[in-house]
Amino acid sequence: MSAHDHGHHKETFITKYIFSLDHKMIAKQYLITGLIMGIIGVLMSVLFRMQIAWPEESFGIFKFLLGEKFAPGGVMRNDIYLALVTIHGTIMVFFVLTAGLSGTFSNLLIPLQIGARDMASGFMNMLSYWMFFISSVIMVGSLFVESGPASAGWTIYPPLSALPQAIPGSGLGMTLWLVSMAIFIASSLMGSLNYVVTVINLRTKGMTMTRLPLTIWAFFVTAIIGIVSFPVLLSAALLLIFDRSFGTSFYLSDIFISGEVLHYQGGSPVLFEHLFWFLGHPEVYIVLLPALGITSEIIATNSRKPIFGYRAMVASILAIAFLSTIVWGHHMFVSGMNPFLGSVFTFTTLLIAIPSAVKAFNYITTLWKGNLQLNPAMLFSIGLVSTFITGGLTGIILGDSTLDINVHDTYFVVAHFHLVMGISALYGFFAGVYHWFPKMFGRMMNKTQGYVHFWVTAVCAYGVFFPMHFIGMAGLPRRYYTNSAFPLFDDLADVNVLITVFAIIGAAFQIVFFWNFFYSMFYGKKATQNPWRSNTLEWTTPVEHIHGNWPGEIPEVHRWPYDYNKPGHDEDFVPQIVPMKEGEEQLHH
Amino acid sequence: MTGLLVFIVLVFIGVAVWQLTKIFHLTQVGAAENSEIANDNDNNINGYLMFGFLAFIYLITIFCVVKYGDLPLMDNSASEHGKDVDTLMWISMILIFFVQTITQALLHYFAFKYRGKKGAEVVYFADNNKLEFIWTIIPVITLAGLILYGLYTWNNIMYYDQEEEVIYVELYAKQFGWEARYAGEDNTLGKANVRYIEGINTLGVDLADPAAQDDKVVNELHLPKGKKVVFKIRSQDVLHSAYMPHFRAQMNCVPGMVTQFVFVPTVTTEEMRQNDKMIAKVDRINKIRAKKSAELVANGGEALDPYTFDYLLLCNKICGASHYNMQMKIVVESPEDFKKWLSEKPTLAKQWAEANAPAAAPVQPEAVEAVVDTTKVLAQVVE
């Protein structure tokens, strides 16, 4: 189908902005929804951080945001604290960093960078977004339930999540959580199937797999991990729904609560842990790989140098993806599973450090002797490599079953995963937004505000999560409403205040980003076709969005995407559509 | 009042942003182009900032190590295997700090050194198998060492010789507290199931089981120094985790199954209180508490008790609203003191008999329904 045919469709407001089949519009829908969910998720973290730093104090903002019921007299209730922690985790992991990140950039970049007119199935793509939207609405709606939203932690381990007697949030709040996640998973699967099919089938002429930009490799592999692991979470959730509503005993056994013995017999919570983490761990890479893909592209473009070790990068993505599906047990070293399994999972887990190290070194080498254009996107990409290293290294401790015994479920874990997947993926997200904003909205974001945003965020991210390692190693468990019940932890109080202050400043400065984003959308400087002088195909499309992406024929691809400053060329970049000169060598093979 | 404060803080932050933006703008004076793409000037400023950020990372590391370096539990372990854990922790930590220092330096230094300049020379350097090989093989070797050492200690901790002389102790978790059960003279814990819970028999011990007759249930965990203790861990309602950080011990409590953790306590509570580091830590905590007490008293509240060191058992798996306050004191003492303490405790069977004295014979708990009656389940659903 040529672009010309698309022109015949009459566009109304509804088909263009709401039920759009166009991947670029769907990407924007994902982005805006993801950002709104992000505001909610981050705001929650500020609220519970305030409770940790100044336990059981009365705050006007608690009263204002949580209401008299959840925060009587402005003091946060202890089960509401857990509810905030739970929903913060759920929203950030699934709604912001899975749907928001993958949904935005896979949708935007897969067709544009492989040279396709649209996704393989535009309709399924639209359905995927709208199911994500519905699940977001249900998740946010669960905050307004009288007994409070789900509060069993984002990992919703039964029996806590199964029994309303155990915590109020496990009533209607948990039901909504499960319904929302079931819809979310359906949405995610439709999206992922679409990405995989599109990458395999719709590449333009000359776009062999080894000429794909690393972004596409990352999105492609991410989608495959999603397809492999998300259905397992869906089944785990379904069985939990059965236990909760139909009296089955998949996860429950021998329970005495509120003065009575429940009828459940023969189930095991450990089974749930296995099923949950079979998704839960790959999920970390579902979040992280797209960010690493985005970073690879941005670092190469802004270094004006080819990405170092393209094949090693692809191999590491594949190795990480494969290993990610056989390491879930490292979340369960002290769950009561057979210690032999602990040994196996220690072994597979520490292996992941190898491809991760290769990636980190390749990024650093890409910078070496480059001509670094320090645009905001580039700063966030370098920031990502930095937090990826800092956070990744402590994985060596947590992945080691012996050491995990003592730091399991402490703040050490919180520090580790927030740096390595939370902050890193968020940086990837920001980098992507700054870099592809001109492609999405035809305008430029303000660079000065971008710099301010980056530097304050970077300082605050370390300020929040670096000291957290120390209180974790001091044995402070996570998810404690207050530490004042233990005089033992009194000397951690000032660290917690420091962390919270950094968190508040860091969160407040995200306003700079949102201002920049929405202002530039309407009043930003008009973008040129290829502002970053990049090689990839998306910059050969017109600034003004059209259905089908290219006005004429889809361009043919003649080279890999990383020919920056290639000897023998006048310009410092050679787009993929430029044919090889006579006698020119493909230097990267 | 807080609302006003928050408002003021937000205003200040706004002003700060505006000022920062202005600084960036002022540095742009003279730049010919006015686009949103980084020019040499931006590259210069941000390049230096990158270098500064490296300093920041080092500074925050040094600050944390100096100021909070004595917080981590990396020595002073109170159990036999804890020493191995700490050694491995030290090795891993030193390795991590080494790699962190080097890689962050390279990353940020390169970001500074090669900051963009118009017409700068760039090396087209796309691939080098030798380099890739080096940074694949180095992690492989390092990790192989770590994995082997880790697995060796893990297996030492997790498995114990069945022939050894051990003491069996049951740790019992429920919302929101702990109980412990000692096996008594026969060193065998009597059978138990939540379906036997009744009155003072809060652990659901099967009082008909001969092995249960000498079992003792207590609310404070006492352990003999130098003896191997096998913890059999149960939960009555939701997941909990028995976390004893000073002993480098942790195991989840899972309803429906019995989990296990084994360790040998090596330092008595009294000895730990005399430890120099612990004395310093307790002093520090008491200074903080004294300050807080003064504040409390000034506001008409009660002063806090001064802190004395005790080992603790904490819950470390989210288990409900009061998860943050689920603790039990642990006392490690000499085997003699331990024996004396335990012998003074009444057996559960005796307590049960006393509590149910008016009844002619000890009440036989109802038999456990082994198979759940599905019609009953359905009936519940219909209700």
Side-chain angles (χ1 to χ4, degrees), chain A residues 371-386:
Chain A
N371 184 14
L372 310 187
Q373 305 303 309
L374 296 172
N375 288 300
M378 180 65 165
L379 295 185
F380 274 104
S381 298
I382 295 173
L384 183 155
V385 178
S386 173

mmCIF file with all atom_site columns, all heavy atoms in Angstrom, chain A residues 371-386:
data_model
loop_
_atom_site.group_PDB
_atom_site.id
_atom_site.type_symbol
_atom_site.label_atom_id
_atom_site.label_alt_id
_atom_site.label_comp_id
_atom_site.label_asym_id
_atom_site.label_entity_id
_atom_site.label_seq_id
_atom_site.pdbx_PDB_ins_code
_atom_site.Cartn_x
_atom_site.Cartn_y
_atom_site.Cartn_z
_atom_site.occupancy
_atom_site.B_iso_or_equiv
_atom_site.pdbx_formal_charge
_atom_site.auth_seq_id
_atom_site.auth_comp_id
_atom_site.auth_asym_id
_atom_site.auth_atom_id
_atom_site.pdbx_PDB_model_num
ATOM 1   N N   . ASN A 1 371 ? 33.479 13.064 19.403 1.00 0.00 ? 371 ASN A N   1
ATOM 2   C CA  . ASN A 1 371 ? 33.280 14.514 19.368 1.00 0.00 ? 371 ASN A CA  1
ATOM 3   C C   . ASN A 1 371 ? 31.923 14.748 20.015 1.00 0.00 ? 371 ASN A C   1
ATOM 4   O O   . ASN A 1 371 ? 30.929 14.953 19.344 1.00 0.00 ? 371 ASN A O   1
ATOM 5   C CB  . ASN A 1 371 ? 33.325 14.991 17.910 1.00 0.00 ? 371 ASN A CB  1
ATOM 6   C CG  . ASN A 1 371 ? 33.213 16.491 17.810 1.00 0.00 ? 371 ASN A CG  1
ATOM 7   O OD1 . ASN A 1 371 ? 33.351 17.209 18.800 1.00 0.00 ? 371 ASN A OD1 1
ATOM 8   N ND2 . ASN A 1 371 ? 32.941 16.973 16.602 1.00 0.00 ? 371 ASN A ND2 1
ATOM 9   N N   . LEU A 1 372 ? 31.925 14.674 21.350 1.00 0.00 ? 372 LEU A N   1
ATOM 10  C CA  . LEU A 1 372 ? 30.664 14.517 22.069 1.00 0.00 ? 372 LEU A CA  1
ATOM 11  C C   . LEU A 1 372 ? 29.790 15.765 22.021 1.00 0.00 ? 372 LEU A C   1
ATOM 12  O O   . LEU A 1 372 ? 30.170 16.812 22.517 1.00 0.00 ? 372 LEU A O   1
ATOM 13  C CB  . LEU A 1 372 ? 30.923 14.143 23.532 1.00 0.00 ? 372 LEU A CB  1
ATOM 14  C CG  . LEU A 1 372 ? 31.881 12.978 23.783 1.00 0.00 ? 372 LEU A CG  1
ATOM 15  C CD1 . LEU A 1 372 ? 31.895 12.617 25.262 1.00 0.00 ? 372 LEU A CD1 1
ATOM 16  C CD2 . LEU A 1 372 ? 31.501 11.767 22.961 1.00 0.00 ? 372 LEU A CD2 1
ATOM 17  N N   . GLN A 1 373 ? 28.627 15.627 21.419 1.00 0.00 ? 373 GLN A N   1
ATOM 18  C CA  . GLN A 1 373 ? 27.647 16.704 21.407 1.00 0.00 ? 373 GLN A CA  1
ATOM 19  C C   . GLN A 1 373 ? 26.772 16.535 22.640 1.00 0.00 ? 373 GLN A C   1
ATOM 20  O O   . GLN A 1 373 ? 25.903 15.674 22.676 1.00 0.00 ? 373 GLN A O   1
ATOM 21  C CB  . GLN A 1 373 ? 26.805 16.637 20.128 1.00 0.00 ? 373 GLN A CB  1
ATOM 22  C CG  . GLN A 1 373 ? 27.630 16.639 18.857 1.00 0.00 ? 373 GLN A CG  1
ATOM 23  C CD  . GLN A 1 373 ? 28.536 17.867 18.771 1.00 0.00 ? 373 GLN A CD  1
ATOM 24  O OE1 . GLN A 1 373 ? 28.077 18.995 18.942 1.00 0.00 ? 373 GLN A OE1 1
ATOM 25  N NE2 . GLN A 1 373 ? 29.821 17.645 18.518 1.00 0.00 ? 373 GLN A NE2 1
ATOM 26  N N   . LEU A 1 374 ? 27.037 17.351 23.660 1.00 0.00 ? 374 LEU A N   1
ATOM 27  C CA  . LEU A 1 374 ? 26.389 17.108 24.946 1.00 0.00 ? 374 LEU A CA  1
ATOM 28  C C   . LEU A 1 374 ? 24.988 17.721 24.995 1.00 0.00 ? 374 LEU A C   1
ATOM 29  O O   . LEU A 1 374 ? 24.712 18.646 25.758 1.00 0.00 ? 374 LEU A O   1
ATOM 30  C CB  . LEU A 1 374 ? 27.274 17.604 26.085 1.00 0.00 ? 374 LEU A CB  1
ATOM 31  C CG  . LEU A 1 374 ? 28.608 16.835 26.176 1.00 0.00 ? 374 LEU A CG  1
ATOM 32  C CD1 . LEU A 1 374 ? 29.548 17.479 27.178 1.00 0.00 ? 374 LEU A CD1 1
ATOM 33  C CD2 . LEU A 1 374 ? 28.399 15.373 26.531 1.00 0.00 ? 374 LEU A CD2 1
ATOM 34  N N   . ASN A 1 375 ? 24.125 17.183 24.158 1.00 0.00 ? 375 ASN A N   1
ATOM 35  C CA  . ASN A 1 375 ? 22.717 17.563 24.206 1.00 0.00 ? 375 ASN A CA  1
ATOM 36  C C   . ASN A 1 375 ? 22.083 16.935 25.440 1.00 0.00 ? 375 ASN A C   1
ATOM 37  O O   . ASN A 1 375 ? 22.620 15.976 25.995 1.00 0.00 ? 375 ASN A O   1
ATOM 38  C CB  . ASN A 1 375 ? 22.004 17.035 22.946 1.00 0.00 ? 375 ASN A CB  1
ATOM 39  C CG  . ASN A 1 375 ? 22.416 17.809 21.720 1.00 0.00 ? 375 ASN A CG  1
ATOM 40  O OD1 . ASN A 1 375 ? 22.220 19.014 21.664 1.00 0.00 ? 375 ASN A OD1 1
ATOM 41  N ND2 . ASN A 1 375 ? 23.011 17.125 20.758 1.00 0.00 ? 375 ASN A ND2 1
ATOM 42  N N   . PRO A 1 376 ? 20.912 17.454 25.872 1.00 0.00 ? 376 PRO A N   1
ATOM 43  C CA  . PRO A 1 376 ? 20.283 16.847 27.052 1.00 0.00 ? 376 PRO A CA  1
ATOM 44  C C   . PRO A 1 376 ? 20.110 15.328 26.911 1.00 0.00 ? 376 PRO A C   1
ATOM 45  O O   . PRO A 1 376 ? 20.348 14.582 27.871 1.00 0.00 ? 376 PRO A O   1
ATOM 46  C CB  . PRO A 1 376 ? 18.925 17.549 27.124 1.00 0.00 ? 376 PRO A CB  1
ATOM 47  C CG  . PRO A 1 376 ? 19.165 18.883 26.513 1.00 0.00 ? 376 PRO A CG  1
ATOM 48  C CD  . PRO A 1 376 ? 20.178 18.657 25.429 1.00 0.00 ? 376 PRO A CD  1
ATOM 49  N N   . ALA A 1 377 ? 19.730 14.859 25.732 1.00 0.00 ? 377 ALA A N   1
ATOM 50  C CA  . ALA A 1 377 ? 19.550 13.410 25.545 1.00 0.00 ? 377 ALA A CA  1
ATOM 51  C C   . ALA A 1 377 ? 20.859 12.678 25.809 1.00 0.00 ? 377 ALA A C   1
ATOM 52  O O   . ALA A 1 377 ? 20.881 11.596 26.407 1.00 0.00 ? 377 ALA A O   1
ATOM 53  C CB  . ALA A 1 377 ? 19.064 13.116 24.135 1.00 0.00 ? 377 ALA A CB  1
ATOM 54  N N   . MET A 1 378 ? 21.967 13.269 25.360 1.00 0.00 ? 378 MET A N   1
ATOM 55  C CA  . MET A 1 378 ? 23.280 12.646 25.559 1.00 0.00 ? 378 MET A CA  1
ATOM 56  C C   . MET A 1 378 ? 23.643 12.615 27.037 1.00 0.00 ? 378 MET A C   1
ATOM 57  O O   . MET A 1 378 ? 24.171 11.626 27.541 1.00 0.00 ? 378 MET A O   1
ATOM 58  C CB  . MET A 1 378 ? 24.329 13.434 24.759 1.00 0.00 ? 378 MET A CB  1
ATOM 59  C CG  . MET A 1 378 ? 25.733 12.888 24.874 1.00 0.00 ? 378 MET A CG  1
ATOM 60  S SD  . MET A 1 378 ? 25.861 11.234 24.157 1.00 0.00 ? 378 MET A SD  1
ATOM 61  C CE  . MET A 1 378 ? 27.635 11.075 24.030 1.00 0.00 ? 378 MET A CE  1
ATOM 62  N N   . LEU A 1 379 ? 23.323 13.698 27.740 1.00 0.00 ? 379 LEU A N   1
ATOM 63  C CA  . LEU A 1 379 ? 23.631 13.728 29.172 1.00 0.00 ? 379 LEU A CA  1
ATOM 64  C C   . LEU A 1 379 ? 22.865 12.608 29.890 1.00 0.00 ? 379 LEU A C   1
ATOM 65  O O   . LEU A 1 379 ? 23.422 11.889 30.721 1.00 0.00 ? 379 LEU A O   1
ATOM 66  C CB  . LEU A 1 379 ? 23.244 15.080 29.778 1.00 0.00 ? 379 LEU A CB  1
ATOM 67  C CG  . LEU A 1 379 ? 24.028 16.292 29.278 1.00 0.00 ? 379 LEU A CG  1
ATOM 68  C CD1 . LEU A 1 379 ? 23.622 17.531 30.059 1.00 0.00 ? 379 LEU A CD1 1
ATOM 69  C CD2 . LEU A 1 379 ? 25.527 16.073 29.425 1.00 0.00 ? 379 LEU A CD2 1
ATOM 70  N N   . PHE A 1 380 ? 21.591 12.468 29.551 1.00 0.00 ? 380 PHE A N   1
ATOM 71  C CA  . PHE A 1 380 ? 20.819 11.415 30.201 1.00 0.00 ? 380 PHE A CA  1
ATOM 72  C C   . PHE A 1 380 ? 21.363 10.032 29.841 1.00 0.00 ? 380 PHE A C   1
ATOM 73  O O   . PHE A 1 380 ? 21.334 9.109  30.652 1.00 0.00 ? 380 PHE A O   1
ATOM 74  C CB  . PHE A 1 380 ? 19.334 11.524 29.840 1.00 0.00 ? 380 PHE A CB  1
ATOM 75  C CG  . PHE A 1 380 ? 18.584 12.466 30.747 1.00 0.00 ? 380 PHE A CG  1
ATOM 76  C CD1 . PHE A 1 380 ? 18.224 13.732 30.322 1.00 0.00 ? 380 PHE A CD1 1
ATOM 77  C CD2 . PHE A 1 380 ? 18.268 12.084 32.035 1.00 0.00 ? 380 PHE A CD2 1
ATOM 78  C CE1 . PHE A 1 380 ? 17.546 14.601 31.169 1.00 0.00 ? 380 PHE A CE1 1
ATOM 79  C CE2 . PHE A 1 380 ? 17.593 12.949 32.892 1.00 0.00 ? 380 PHE A CE2 1
ATOM 80  C CZ  . PHE A 1 380 ? 17.232 14.211 32.457 1.00 0.00 ? 380 PHE A CZ  1
ATOM 81  N N   . SER A 1 381 ? 21.865 9.882  28.622 1.00 0.00 ? 381 SER A N   1
ATOM 82  C CA  . SER A 1 381 ? 22.418 8.582  28.237 1.00 0.00 ? 381 SER A CA  1
ATOM 83  C C   . SER A 1 381 ? 23.687 8.270  29.015 1.00 0.00 ? 381 SER A C   1
ATOM 84  O O   . SER A 1 381 ? 23.888 7.144  29.472 1.00 0.00 ? 381 SER A O   1
ATOM 85  C CB  . SER A 1 381 ? 22.710 8.558  26.737 1.00 0.00 ? 381 SER A CB  1
ATOM 86  O OG  . SER A 1 381 ? 21.514 8.745  26.027 1.00 0.00 ? 381 SER A OG  1
ATOM 87  N N   . ILE A 1 382 ? 24.548 9.274  29.156 1.00 0.00 ? 382 ILE A N   1
ATOM 88  C CA  . ILE A 1 382 ? 25.768 9.056  29.943 1.00 0.00 ? 382 ILE A CA  1
ATOM 89  C C   . ILE A 1 382 ? 25.377 8.792  31.395 1.00 0.00 ? 382 ILE A C   1
ATOM 90  O O   . ILE A 1 382 ? 25.927 7.912  32.058 1.00 0.00 ? 382 ILE A O   1
ATOM 91  C CB  . ILE A 1 382 ? 26.711 10.270 29.835 1.00 0.00 ? 382 ILE A CB  1
ATOM 92  C CG1 . ILE A 1 382 ? 27.190 10.416 28.388 1.00 0.00 ? 382 ILE A CG1 1
ATOM 93  C CG2 . ILE A 1 382 ? 27.905 10.116 30.767 1.00 0.00 ? 382 ILE A CG2 1
ATOM 94  C CD1 . ILE A 1 382 ? 27.979 11.677 28.121 1.00 0.00 ? 382 ILE A CD1 1
ATOM 95  N N   . GLY A 1 383 ? 24.377 9.542  31.871 1.00 0.00 ? 383 GLY A N   1
ATOM 96  C CA  . GLY A 1 383 ? 23.874 9.324  33.229 1.00 0.00 ? 383 GLY A CA  1
ATOM 97  C C   . GLY A 1 383 ? 23.384 7.902  33.408 1.00 0.00 ? 383 GLY A C   1
ATOM 98  O O   . GLY A 1 383 ? 23.624 7.269  34.438 1.00 0.00 ? 383 GLY A O   1
ATOM 99  N N   . LEU A 1 384 ? 22.733 7.385  32.384 1.00 0.00 ? 384 LEU A N   1
ATOM 100 C CA  . LEU A 1 384 ? 22.240 6.007  32.448 1.00 0.00 ? 384 LEU A CA  1
ATOM 101 C C   . LEU A 1 384 ? 23.400 5.038  32.622 1.00 0.00 ? 384 LEU A C   1
ATOM 102 O O   . LEU A 1 384 ? 23.351 4.139  33.463 1.00 0.00 ? 384 LEU A O   1
ATOM 103 C CB  . LEU A 1 384 ? 21.455 5.655  31.180 1.00 0.00 ? 384 LEU A CB  1
ATOM 104 C CG  . LEU A 1 384 ? 20.814 4.259  31.110 1.00 0.00 ? 384 LEU A CG  1
ATOM 105 C CD1 . LEU A 1 384 ? 19.628 4.305  30.168 1.00 0.00 ? 384 LEU A CD1 1
ATOM 106 C CD2 . LEU A 1 384 ? 21.751 3.175  30.671 1.00 0.00 ? 384 LEU A CD2 1
ATOM 107 N N   . VAL A 1 385 ? 24.451 5.226  31.839 1.00 0.00 ? 385 VAL A N   1
ATOM 108 C CA  . VAL A 1 385 ? 25.583 4.305  31.958 1.00 0.00 ? 385 VAL A CA  1
ATOM 109 C C   . VAL A 1 385 ? 26.152 4.373  33.379 1.00 0.00 ? 385 VAL A C   1
ATOM 110 O O   . VAL A 1 385 ? 26.474 3.349  33.984 1.00 0.00 ? 385 VAL A O   1
ATOM 111 C CB  . VAL A 1 385 ? 26.668 4.629  30.906 1.00 0.00 ? 385 VAL A CB  1
ATOM 112 C CG1 . VAL A 1 385 ? 27.847 3.697  31.063 1.00 0.00 ? 385 VAL A CG1 1
ATOM 113 C CG2 . VAL A 1 385 ? 26.089 4.528  29.507 1.00 0.00 ? 385 VAL A CG2 1
ATOM 114 N N   . SER A 1 386 ? 26.191 5.586  33.922 1.00 0.00 ? 386 SER A N   1
ATOM 115 C CA  . SER A 1 386 ? 26.724 5.757  35.270 1.00 0.00 ? 386 SER A CA  1
ATOM 116 C C   . SER A 1 386 ? 25.877 5.026  36.315 1.00 0.00 ? 386 SER A C   1
ATOM 117 O O   . SER A 1 386 ? 26.398 4.260  37.135 1.00 0.00 ? 386 SER A O   1
ATOM 118 C CB  . SER A 1 386 ? 26.800 7.248  35.605 1.00 0.00 ? 386 SER A CB  1
ATOM 119 O OG  . SER A 1 386 ? 27.162 7.436  36.944 1.00 0.00 ? 386 SER A OG  1
#
